[in-house]
């Protein structure tokens, strides 16, 4: 992609009313645009990051045998009335009457809807276990939106639902999800803390939260600096002993063993081996996809901008010719662009006729992991520079060996 033909509205100014660094950088780097409080557009650069995060999630969900579907955001309120959650979630639900005078809502979550699908199609123990998931927008009328896309009124979630014949099967699915979640967050460049949690309005017996320590967040954990043990911070539960520190954290995911809470309320029943009708045993597994992007930025930035982990970066490599008016620089830039694109790398070429300072500042701001810098001084020696954004390391290479060096670096363990 050529920068001059792309849409990256960067800004030097810190937006007013922003307290979180992830909020500031996502706006300044042209990842998102706020339409109104808690409602955001994902601009092309941010949408590429979102797509890469979603791809990681899909890969790990598919790897443990889950199947993707897509459910409606528009839902009749009567299905919520069967579980009583029209009352439990009343404060955050967007509700309205359609032209048929039918009471509707925009889905804040999808347990009721997926259970209705199970009620219609899962009739026998032979059809289980099965796990279905989606990646979709959710809607919650938050009184206090915070930290940009961390707590928004419209947000993107991955929600998965397992269906089993017994608790043993549920526990197996639950453990698979727990392991997959850890892999997802690791691939996104995050080290998460897994803690037991309250099931709240979701219901069920067992649940776990996935938290990442960050400068901002609405959760907190106690971390033991001596043995790295962790404990979810709750009111009045300060741990005993020395070496404990309270740290702010962002919740990235939450998984639940729901049991029969929804299947009993909505009549999702199956016939077991003996021909006896029983309620389906369910589990629920959620990841806040959009807030995951904010969390990545919160723990991967420096004074100059974003430090994208390589698997979620919007581009793999940025090519930066310092003077686009120089024929040799642009000729090599075009050559590298074609060669690296041909080997499967996603490349951004900054072909703008801008000052070197503006181009370098923008490059730091958007945080592409690898940068190829072409300047007259180095080219006079038949050399170019490759900069690793995260470490600041600059590698001087022969101009004819750039493709090979980039491929070696991308295959290495750099983040």
């Amino acid at each position: 992609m050529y920068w001059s033909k792309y849409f990256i509205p960067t800004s030097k100014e810190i937006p007013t009313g922003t307290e979180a660094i992830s909020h500031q950088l996502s706006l300044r780097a042209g990842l998102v645009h706020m339409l109104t409080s808690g409602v955001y557009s994902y601009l092309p650069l941010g949408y590429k990051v979102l797509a890469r995060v979603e791809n990681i999630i899909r890969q790990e969900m598919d790897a443990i045998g889950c199947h993707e579907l897509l459910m409606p955001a528009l839902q009749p309120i009567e299905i919520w009335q069967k579980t009583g959650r029209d009352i439990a979630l009343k404060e955050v639900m967007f509700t309205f009457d359609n032209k048929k005078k039918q009471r509707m809502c925009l889905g804040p979550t999808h347990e009721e809807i997926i259970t209705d699908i199970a009620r219609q199609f899962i009739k026998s123990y032979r059809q289980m276990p099965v796990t279905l998931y989606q990646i979709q927008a959710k809607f919650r009328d938050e009184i206090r939106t915070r930290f940009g896309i961390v707590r928004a009124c419209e947000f993107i979630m991955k929600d998965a639902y397992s269906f089993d014949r017994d608790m043993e099967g549920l526990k197996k699915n639950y453990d698979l999800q727990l392991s997959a979640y850890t892999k997802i967050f690791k691939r996104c460049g995050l080290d998460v803390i897994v803690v037991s949690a309250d099931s709240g309005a979701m219901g069920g017996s067992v649940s776990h939260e996935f938290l990442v320590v960050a400068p901002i967040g609405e959760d907190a954990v106690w971390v033991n600096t001596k043995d790295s043990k962790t404990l979810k911070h709750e009111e009045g539960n300060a741990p005993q002993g020395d070496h404990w520190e309270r740290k702010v954290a962002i919740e990235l995911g939450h998984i639940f063993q729901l049991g029969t809470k929804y299947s009993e309320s909505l009549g999702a029943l199956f016939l077991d081996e003996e021909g006896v009708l029983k309620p389906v045993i369910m589990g629920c597994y959620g990841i806040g996809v959009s807030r995951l992007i904010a969390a990545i930025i919160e723990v991967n930035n420096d004074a100059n901008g974003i430090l994208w982990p390589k698997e979620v970066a919007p581009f793999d490599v940025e090519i930066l010719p310092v003077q686009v008016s120089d024929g040799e620089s642009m000729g090599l830039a075009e050559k590298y662009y074609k060669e690296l694109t041909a080997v499967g790398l996603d490349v951004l070429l900054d072909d703008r006729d801008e000052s070197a300072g503006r181009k370098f500042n923008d490059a730091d701001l958007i945080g592409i992991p690898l940068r190829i810098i072409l300047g007259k001084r180095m080219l006079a020696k038949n050399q170019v520079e490759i900069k690793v954004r995260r470490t600041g390391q600059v590698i001087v290479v022969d101009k004819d060996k750039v493709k090979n060096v980039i491929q070696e670096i991308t295959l290495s363990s750099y983040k």
Side-chain angles (χ1 to χ4, degrees), residues 117-185:
I117 291 174
R119 180 179 68 85
Q120 296 284 345
F121 299 109
I122 297 178
K123 303 295 184 182
S124 166
Y125 71 94
R126 293 187 179 90
Q127 295 172 272
M128 296 181 284
V130 64
T131 301
L132 305 173
Y133 77 96
Q134 66 170 354
I135 299 174
Q136 196 224 38
K138 301 284 192 284
F139 302 87
R140 297 182 187 175
D141 193 6
E142 298 285 357
I143 296 173
R144 188 185 180 197
T145 58
R146 295 192 72 191
F147 310 131
I149 56 176
V150 172
R151 178 171 289 280
C153 295
E154 179 179 345
F155 58 96
I156 300 166
M157 180 186 286
K158 188 285 300 184
D159 43 321
Y161 307 90
S162 63
F163 303 92
D164 286 280
R165 54 190 286 191
D166 52 32
M167 286 301 297
E168 182 181 351
L170 169 60
K171 289 174 183 176
K172 287 180 181 178
N173 264 320
Y174 192 85
D175 288 343
L176 283 173
Q177 293 285 335
L178 197 154
S179 176
Y181 273 37
T182 304
K183 291 177 183 177
I184 288 167
F185 298 132

Side-chain angles (χ1 to χ4, degrees), residues 91-110:
E91 294 302 314
V92 297
M93 291 180 79
F94 286 100
T95 58
F96 55 94
D97 291 333
N98 64 16
K99 291 181 179 178
K100 299 176 183 177
K101 305 301 181 185
Q102 182 184 19
R103 195 68 175 163
M104 305 291 289
C105 74
L106 294 176
T109 182
H110 276 74

Side-chain angles (χ1 to χ4, degrees), residues 160-338:
Y161 307 90
S162 63
F163 303 92
D164 286 280
R165 54 190 286 191
D166 52 32
M167 286 301 297
E168 182 181 351
L170 169 60
K171 289 174 183 176
K172 287 180 181 178
N173 264 320
Y174 192 85
D175 288 343
L176 283 173
Q177 293 285 335
L178 197 154
S179 176
Y181 273 37
T182 304
K183 291 177 183 177
I184 288 167
F185 298 132
K186 192 72 173 177
R187 290 179 63 182
C188 290
L190 298 172
D191 292 320
V192 294
I193 296 170
V194 185
V195 294
S196 296
D198 179 20
S199 296
M202 293 293 293
S205 56
V206 176
S207 76
H208 287 86
E209 287 181 1
F210 297 78
L211 307 168
V212 63
V213 172
I216 56 99
E218 297 180 304
D219 288 273
V221 290
W222 291 101
V223 178
N224 191 297
T225 56
K226 187 176 182 180
D227 57 18
S228 298
K229 289 182 179 178
T230 58
L231 178 69
K232 177 73 182 292
H233 172 77
E234 304 287 0
E235 218 39 61
N237 79 334
Q240 301 297 314
D242 300 326
H243 309 293
W244 289 97
E245 289 185 3
R246 181 185 180 276
K247 295 183 180 290
V248 174
I250 301 173
E251 181 190 339
L252 301 178
H254 205 154
I255 60 177
F256 306 83
Q257 293 184 17
L258 297 176
T260 61
K261 172 182 170 67
Y262 296 92
S263 54
E264 286 183 343
S265 298
L266 295 165
L269 308 174
F270 73 98
L271 288 172
D272 69 6
E273 300 96 321
E274 308 299 325
V276 177
L277 272 177
K278 292 182 177 178
V280 172
I281 310 294
M282 292 177 57
C284 171
Y285 318 94
I287 289 178
V289 181
S290 44
R291 70 163 48 189
L292 182 51
I293 295 172
I296 292 168
I297 297 172
E298 279 294 328
V299 298
N300 291 279
N301 68 80
D302 64 12
N304 299 314
I306 302 169
L307 306 170
W308 289 116
K310 66 177 180 179
E311 282 208 67
V312 298
F315 291 94
D316 301 309
V317 182
E318 178 181 346
I319 301 173
L320 196 158
V322 178
Q323 299 97 2
V324 297
S325 59
D326 178 61
E328 183 183 9
S329 294
M330 281 305 295
L332 271 177
E334 296 275 3
K335 176 176 179 287
Y336 298 153
Y337 181 84
K338 291 175 182 177

Side-chain angles (χ1 to χ4, degrees), residues 319 329-343 347 349 372-374 379 382-384 397-403:
I319 301 173
S329 294
M330 281 305 295
L332 271 177
E334 296 275 3
K335 176 176 179 287
Y336 298 153
Y337 181 84
K338 291 175 182 177
E339 289 178 345
L340 295 174
T341 301
V343 296
V347 184
L349 196 166
I372 302 170
I373 304 167
L374 299 95
L379 285 176
N382 291 319
Q383 295 175 327
V384 299
V397 300
D398 185 280
K399 69 179 184 180
D400 295 323
K401 297 180 180 179
V402 168
K403 185 187 80 167

